[in-house]
Amino acid sequence: MPPYSECMSDKKVRVRFAPSPTGPLHLGGVRTALYNYLFARKHGGDFLLRIEDTDQTRYVPGAEEYIIESLKWLGIMYDEGPGKEGEFAPYRQSERKPMYRQYAEQLIESGHAYYAFDTTEELETMRVNLQKAGSSSPSYNFISRNSMKNSLTLPADEVQRRIDNGDPYVIRIKIPRNEEVHLEDLVRGVVVVNTNTLDDKVLFKSDGMPTYHLANIVDDYLMKITHVIRGEEWLPSAPTHVLLYRFLGWEADMPSFAHLPLILKPDGNGKLSKRDGDRLGFPVFPLQWTDPNSGEVSSGYRESGYFKEAVINILALLGWHPTDNQELFSLDELVEAFSLEKVSKAGAKFDFEKAKWFNREYLKSTPDKELAEAVKPYAIAGGADVSDEYLQGACRLMKERATFIKDVFEKGRYLFFAPSAYDENTLAKKWKPGTADFISQLLADLSTDEAFTGASLESRGKAWLEANKLGFGAIMPVFRVLLTGEGEGPAIFEICALLGKEEMKSRIESGLSVCKSKYE
Ligand code: GLU
């Protein structure tokens, strides 16, 4: 654990989730948003959503809306962001475009950045030459920049002429040679990087757009961000960010960093990808996503019948561990228990079976009335015409047997429709001479029950079995198949009570007439 605390200063905590709208939000991104949210709530701070859309070539229509809808579905509500403009608006970087140039120019004036005019071909030649010379990761850096076309190598008047001429250029950060950059990461402890391993990243392009690195630092500073909580894939960029804070004179306001561990695939090593989800049959996105170019549809947790609470719970525990072994947490409990100090450095393996377990737990604990509301769309789409009260009854019977919301309807279809086929295995094994008679007698006896509740039918049914010296396994399995078509399911007398007397009678009678000749 790092030797320092996650929240030492008395500044109001302000954190941000800063996705680029380049596609649907992956589970890893949702977890980043969640941890930011939990951290903000825990410390009484603000949680911002900032859309980092400076790279227009990677912009995907619909991605921003998707991100916002995902956060809304999960209840990860932001205090400031698109549609919730606060003091620091706008929250979309493309709308902040005019703000960035001055900082790129400030860096040039102070000698920490420079203009570079190299063409794509020239950059490619540089790479090839460096590779030939034995470099494994050729880059534009403190050595190679000296032989390229930039304001460090060209005379000042030529630089000016090129700019006035409208020649395309970029502005690059001038990484100092052989210095150690220290970074205190709240998850990883002290990280030290030698600047010789860094490249002169592009900060600004001649189209007037900053790149991610510049826009991100400028906005974090202007928006008074105190903690940068983001995925581990951004750790290699962090030393450059630390240098930018220093070069811009903002070191005193530099946020604390916390780089979250990767979410790993369930089997083998490596980051969890959409391909793993497709291969193993689970969603890696919160909501269903239709790719606007290919039309390809990727499944989502919401559409697959997950509770948002379960998804939150699953994600919270992917990389963070509570002090005790508690596994089920409400959002409020997570806010209470969460701390960056308990986030692990090691990648967290995604466990799909566990994800289903969480959903089952949530499903079981959801009140019937609420569950019925969630099941209703599936029931309607499936053509079931039942009252709310009936649906609640069906939920009560099926909730122990369902993993997903839609299972209540799909696995419990016989609660909504009379069977059209009968489980042959059970019938072949259990139907004995005389079974049909016994079933008719039992049906007649049950039909006299006034209360017609699960309990009253059960005591009546059991008394009848006893009086006829029959064990439960003698005819009840056949009774169940005639009633539901299936060999197993929830308590049989509860099913009778839910279906009601008339439906029970008509199902058993038509089941008997269909099956009797075949089995007796
Ligand atoms: N725009 C970056 C992303 O897409 C933000 C990284 C950060 O949080 O600094 O993840």
Side-chain angles (χ1 to χ4, degrees):
M1 205 210 294
Y4 40 87
S5 141
E6 65 182 29
C7 197
M8 289 193 299
S9 100
D10 50 8
K11 272 195 253 171
K12 183 175 196 196
V13 164
R14 284 175 60 81
V15 293
R16 84 299 192 275
F17 177 49
S20 297
T22 54
L25 196 54
H26 177 275
L27 280 186
V30 183
R31 187 198 54 179
T32 299
L34 174 64
Y35 283 17
N36 273 284
Y37 171 87
L38 295 176
F39 187 78
R41 287 289 93 90
K42 165 128 198 199
H43 295 287
D46 298 325
F47 170 55
L48 283 69
L49 174 66
R50 185 173 71 223
I51 301 294
E52 301 211 323
D53 57 350
T54 53
D55 189 350
Q56 298 290 319
T57 58
R58 296 186 60 219
Y59 181 83
V60 172
E64 180 185 321
E65 291 77 1
Y66 178 96
I67 292 166
I68 293 175
E69 204 189 328
S70 302
L71 298 181
K72 258 196 199 145
W73 176 57
L74 290 162
I76 307 176
M77 302 309 285
Y78 48 90
D79 305 298
E80 295 168 35
K84 242 188 152 189
E85 323 299 320
E87 192 185 332
F88 302 89
Y91 295 92
R92 215 174 266 121
Q93 287 185 329
S94 57
E95 290 170 14
R96 302 171 65 80
K97 187 175 167 184
M99 297 189 196
Y100 304 109
R101 178 181 286 274
Q102 57 177 304
Y103 300 106
E105 281 168 1
Q106 183 188 327
L107 288 167
I108 291 186
E109 271 154 35
S110 59
H112 294 302
Y114 57 93
Y115 293 105
F117 301 96
D118 317 277
T119 62
T120 318
E121 293 75 37
E122 285 163 345
L123 290 171
E124 186 51 31
T125 310
M126 173 195 87
R127 243 186 303 274
V128 171
N129 287 344
L130 285 174
Q131 247 156 4
K132 273 191 202 146
S135 164
S136 56
S137 55
S139 64
Y140 208 115
N141 63 10
F142 69 102
I143 299 175
S144 61
R145 69 188 174 214
N146 298 314
S147 49
M148 302 301 286
K149 283 205 186 76
N150 53 51
S151 56
L152 303 173
T153 59
L154 298 171
D157 54 347
E158 177 165 359
V159 170
Q160 199 52 52
R161 190 185 53 73
R162 281 175 177 257
I163 292 172
D164 295 343
N165 214 18
D167 287 5
Y169 64 83
V170 296
I171 297 176
R172 288 181 180 271
I173 183 171
K174 188 178 171 199
I175 296 284
R177 182 173 195 153
N178 200 22
E179 266 183 38
E180 296 212 315
V181 181
H182 288 247
L183 170 83
E184 289 183 354
D185 190 278
L186 291 167
V187 173
R188 321 189 71 87
V190 176
V191 177
V192 183
V193 174
N194 187 292
T195 53
N196 286 358
T197 63
L198 305 178
D199 63 334
D200 288 1
K201 290 202 188 318
V202 174
L203 300 177
F204 200 81
K205 291 171 286 175
S206 47
D207 65 1
M209 269 294 193
T211 61
Y212 155 71
H213 301 285
L214 182 67
N216 185 272
I217 276 19
V218 166
D219 284 345
D220 281 349
Y221 171 74
L222 294 178
M223 295 180 176
K224 298 196 180 349
I225 297 301
T226 57
H227 296 75
V228 166
I229 304 169
R230 61 184 173 190
E232 186 183 280
E233 62 274 28
W234 299 102
L235 188 61
S237 305
T240 305
H241 297 173
V242 171
L243 287 173
L244 280 172
Y245 278 101
R246 190 187 301 165
F247 295 163
L248 287 162
W250 299 338
E251 235 176 343
D253 291 310
M254 188 166 80
S256 303
F257 290 97
H259 288 92
L260 308 176
L262 292 177
I263 299 185
L264 303 173
K265 52 180 87 229
D267 51 351
N269 291 317
K271 200 173 153 183
L272 175 72
S273 71
K274 177 173 140 38
R275 247 169 300 129
D276 300 314
D278 293 344
R279 185 168 54 86
L280 300 166
F282 61 86
V284 298
F285 301 122
L287 315 179
Q288 183 171 299
W289 165 258
T290 307
D291 187 289
N293 298 317
S294 67
E296 189 196 348
V297 177
S298 304
S299 64
Y301 279 83
R302 182 178 64 181
E303 291 75 10
S304 303
Y306 276 82
F307 285 94
K308 62 180 200 281
E309 293 84 354
V311 177
I312 293 270
N313 207 148
I314 295 159
L315 291 177
L317 291 173
L318 277 173
W320 166 80
H321 303 282
T323 338
D324 53 17
N325 286 332
Q326 184 176 346
E327 287 196 289
L328 292 167
F329 287 88
S330 68
L331 197 53
D332 286 345
E333 287 172 325
L334 284 173
V335 167
E336 184 66 27
F338 185 76
S339 99
L340 286 174
E341 279 142 19
K342 290 260 176 258
V343 172
S344 65
K345 278 189 238 176
K349 248 189 208 313
F350 184 78
D351 181 344
F352 185 50
E353 288 310 318
K354 192 78 192 184
K356 289 199 278 195
W357 176 84
F358 275 112
N359 210 56
R360 268 196 297 276
E361 291 302 311
Y362 275 92
L363 200 140
K364 273 194 279 189
S365 65
T366 301
D368 299 336
K369 202 165 170 202
E370 226 174 280
L371 184 56
E373 282 304 311
V375 174
K376 204 172 181 175
Y378 296 100
I380 292 174
D385 181 17
V386 295
S387 68
D388 287 354
E389 207 192 331
Y390 188 92
L391 198 52
Q392 286 167 30
C395 289
R396 187 170 60 79
L397 295 192
M398 290 309 295
K399 71 202 298 190
E400 292 286 337
R401 305 179 164 261
T403 297
F404 302 112
I405 296 167
K406 61 172 187 263
D407 290 350
V408 171
F409 177 69
E410 284 173 4
K411 291 193 174 172
R413 290 189 75 82
Y414 48 77
L415 300 178
F416 304 93
F417 306 104
S420 52
Y422 299 91
D423 178 47
E424 295 187 8
N425 270 344
T426 310
L427 295 185
K429 205 155 70 198
K430 292 283 180 183
W431 202 305
K432 304 271 150 38
T435 293
D437 269 353
F438 278 132
I439 287 194
S440 299
Q441 288 169 37
L442 173 61
L443 181 65
D445 193 58
L446 292 176
S447 301
T448 62
D449 196 66
E450 286 292 324
F452 220 75
T453 64
S456 68
L457 290 169
E458 183 175 347
S459 62
R460 180 178 291 274
K462 282 189 173 160
W464 182 89
L465 287 170
E466 220 167 281
N468 288 278
K469 301 201 171 30
L470 292 168
F472 201 84
I475 62 157
M476 291 320 287
V478 175
F479 190 88
R480 174 187 293 280
V481 174
L482 298 181
L483 191 70
T484 68
E486 296 195 12
E488 53 183 45
I492 187 71
F493 296 113
E494 293 288 342
I495 299 179
C496 294
L498 180 73
L499 293 174
K501 194 179 291 182
E502 289 318 309
E503 181 70 10
M504 174 189 76
K505 277 169 77 177
S506 102
R507 284 191 186 193
I508 296 291
E509 278 159 9
S510 64
L512 277 175
S513 76
V514 172
C515 301
K516 193 174 167 182
S517 57
K518 188 163 171 200
Y519 294 99
E520 188 150 325

